[in-house]
């Protein structure tokens, strides 16, 4: 599930957690929990004006 989340968020940076949940067939809370555990994915901005930022992990560290 994490790989699918990262790939979709990388392509669609303004996607909502509700849309991701619908696409994956799970609850929005599950998506939020998985995104919070990913060290290379973060939300930049506030509410509807923000977007997802996906960094690269090299050698076990975020870059």
């Amino acid at each position: 599930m994490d790989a699918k989340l990262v790939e979709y968020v990388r392509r669609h940076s303004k996607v909502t957690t509700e849309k991701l949940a619908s696409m994956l067939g799970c609850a929005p809370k599950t998506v939020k929990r998985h995104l919070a555990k990913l060290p290379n994915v973060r939300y930049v901005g506030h509410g509807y004006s923000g977007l997802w930022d996906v960094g690269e992990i090299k050698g076990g560290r975020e870059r």
Side-chain angles (χ1 to χ4, degrees):
M1 174 188 265
D2 292 343
K4 287 182 182 180
L5 280 173
V6 170
E7 187 58 35
Y8 196 81
V9 168
R10 181 175 281 137
R11 291 182 185 175
H12 307 281
S13 62
K14 295 202 68 99
V15 69
T16 64
T17 53
E18 289 79 15
K19 173 83 173 174
L20 288 168
S22 174
M23 182 190 78
L24 295 170
C26 62
K29 181 129 179 139
T30 302
V31 171
K32 290 176 186 178
R33 188 172 49 247
H34 279 267
L35 287 171
K37 290 180 183 179
L38 294 171
N40 62 326
V41 178
R42 65 187 179 118
Y43 193 77
V44 180
H46 301 284
Y48 292 106
S49 64
L51 55 94
W52 293 101
D53 179 42
V54 180
E56 292 185 26
I57 296 180
K58 295 204 176 186
R61 295 186 152 187
E62 183 178 347
R63 181 169 179 224

